[in-house]
Amino acid sequence: MTNNTVIDSGTAEGIDPLTELLRSGASQLITEAVQSELDELMTHYDDQKTTDGRQRVVRSGHHPEREIMTGVGKVSVEVPKIRSREGPPESFQSLVVPPYIRRTATLDAAIPWLYLKGVSSGQMLSALEAIVGPEAKGLSANVVGRLKRQWEAEYKQWCTRAVSDEWVYIWADGIYSGLRGDDGRLCCLVIIGVNSRGQKHFLAIEDGVRESKQSWREVLLSLKQRGLGQPPKLAIGDGALGFWAALEEVYPETGVQRCWMHKTGNVLNYLLKSVQEKAKQGLHDIWMAEDRVDAEKAFDDFEERFGVRHPKAVECLSKDRDSLWAVFVY
């Protein structure tokens, strides 16, 4: 994990910012894991010297860079080499990147869990097994422990960095992991901000419990202490009541906007697949309207078209009507 959290909106054809972020993270994590393996191996040769007193086994550059196909695309890796100055030849073979490996089908699932399990709960070994399979069991406890401490330190540094800037918009969402803690379901609380220059940054990625008010409150207070003193103009989020309650306490001046992506998904869940496409277009006409007047007209049209045959879908949309218009103010 690095301190560079800017998501550039201008991307290469066919590659989105999140994929590029995951790809970069995958390459860095693999490099760190291989380096830790090598460090562990080299400790076994510390006391072996040549006849003239030099270290018998030394590092010797890297093998040619190669690409491994992963679930997030091609990731470039370099595996280091060692050599012996005298005596029997020595070599280094990585368990994380075995010789001739060209594809790992489960790396796309492993990368997020390396952060969540490694940093949050210390279950690094299970995450590494998701990358290389059962061979990860051969990694020593020292290697796993060193990786865990390194990533934990990087994560703590990232979480305490200054976020002083003029943040105009923030997006908040909770991503559930499926893991359970003592107090219930665990989730990852994420806040993305847009500053006055139009740049998107990850501001917070924290553990939480069921998107509770207290969990969100701690995240927002942390941001405030790290430099987000001026309230954002607008906050966008789903229907999780915990976030909105915490926002009201920490940044009461910030405007409220329900996320149209979440709302669209919620409404479509009440509809048959045969009518979802038309309904989706109707919802699109609302939030993509030129101004609030046109949006109100499209809203009324949606209620009229679907209200009789699909009342639950219309009710799901209408109950949050007042919190769907802030986007037309800013």
Side-chain angles (χ1 to χ4, degrees):
M1 184 180 293
T2 68
N3 290 328
N4 182 14
T5 57
V6 178
I7 303 177
D8 187 4
S9 58
T11 59
E13 182 177 355
I15 299 179
D16 61 273
L18 182 57
T19 298
E20 195 62 37
L21 179 65
L22 290 173
R23 189 176 299 175
S24 174
S27 179
Q28 180 178 343
L29 289 170
I30 293 173
T31 299
E32 292 172 356
V34 172
Q35 187 61 49
S36 291
E37 284 185 288
L38 179 60
D39 292 343
E40 181 75 4
L41 175 65
M42 293 300 291
T43 61
H44 298 297
Y45 299 110
D46 283 346
D47 58 350
Q48 298 185 24
K49 307 295 181 179
T50 62
T51 53
D52 57 359
R54 294 184 298 167
Q55 197 69 39
R56 188 181 76 84
V57 179
V58 295
R59 301 168 193 249
S60 182
H62 294 78
H63 292 284
E65 184 180 89
R66 55 194 173 101
E67 293 182 330
I68 299 175
M69 180 59 69
T70 75
V72 292
K74 292 182 178 179
V75 173
S76 298
V77 297
E78 282 186 332
V79 177
K81 298 188 297 182
I82 63 174
R83 66 181 179 86
S84 57
R85 287 179 167 140
E86 65 180 34
E90 305 289 351
S91 63
F92 166 66
Q93 289 194 355
S94 170
L95 296 174
V96 175
V97 186
Y100 312 115
I101 187 173
R102 288 291 180 266
R103 180 179 180 86
T104 170
T106 55
L107 189 59
D108 55 329
I111 293 304
W113 297 111
L114 280 171
Y115 287 95
L116 283 176
K117 289 190 174 183
V119 173
S120 301
S121 61
Q123 297 175 354
M124 273 298 174
L125 185 56
S126 62
L128 288 171
E129 286 179 6
I131 298 178
V132 299
E135 291 179 343
K137 296 183 184 299
L139 293 171
S140 71
N142 289 336
V143 171
V144 175
R146 188 183 302 115
L147 283 172
K148 192 262 183 182
R149 290 191 296 272
Q150 179 179 342
W151 288 332
E152 184 177 17
E154 291 177 354
Y155 174 71
K156 287 181 177 179
Q157 182 181 10
W158 185 86
C159 287
T160 56
R161 78 203 187 287
V163 292
S164 304
D165 207 333
E166 182 182 355
W167 300 104
V168 184
Y169 309 121
I170 59 172
W171 280 267
D173 197 9
I175 303 172
Y176 285 90
S177 66
L179 300 175
R180 298 190 68 87
D182 294 337
D183 298 324
R185 291 185 67 191
L186 300 178
C187 66
C188 184
L189 305 181
V190 180
I191 292 184
I192 298 175
V194 176
N195 60 25
S196 57
R197 299 178 298 281
Q199 296 173 316
K200 283 185 180 180
H201 295 249
F202 283 105
L203 299 183
I205 304 175
E206 304 273 0
D207 284 346
V209 179
R210 301 190 311 275
E211 294 191 77
S212 66
K213 174 184 174 181
Q214 181 60 26
S215 293
W216 277 116
R217 184 173 179 274
E218 291 175 3
V219 173
L220 293 175
L221 286 176
S222 174
L223 290 177
K224 199 169 189 177
Q225 293 170 357
R226 287 157 48 203
L228 210 166
Q230 181 178 348
K233 297 293 185 182
L234 188 66
I236 302 98
D238 61 12
L241 299 180
F243 171 72
W244 300 117
L247 184 74
E248 178 64 26
E249 284 191 10
V250 182
Y251 296 113
E253 305 93 339
T254 298
V256 173
Q257 169 68 48
R258 284 293 303 275
C259 174
W260 270 102
M261 185 188 75
H262 285 92
K263 177 55 67 176
T264 297
N266 293 338
V267 172
L268 294 181
N269 283 339
Y270 288 103
L271 298 171
L272 299 174
K273 288 187 177 181
S274 58
V275 297
Q276 284 185 359
E277 192 62 35
K278 291 182 179 179
K280 187 175 182 180
Q281 182 59 51
L283 295 170
H284 186 272
D285 291 341
I286 299 173
W287 64 269
M288 285 296 290
E290 288 291 330
D291 51 41
R292 178 166 177 172
V293 174
D294 289 342
E296 294 269 16
K297 291 179 181 179
F299 199 107
D300 294 338
D301 179 65
F302 186 93
E303 289 183 322
E304 184 177 349
R305 290 170 60 194
F306 297 97
V308 176
R309 299 189 62 181
H310 308 283
K312 290 186 177 181
V314 172
E315 180 184 356
C316 177
L317 178 66
S318 301
K319 68 184 180 70
D320 295 313
R321 183 166 185 155
D322 293 340
S323 60
L324 292 169
W325 307 123
V327 65
F328 295 105
V329 178
Y330 301 94

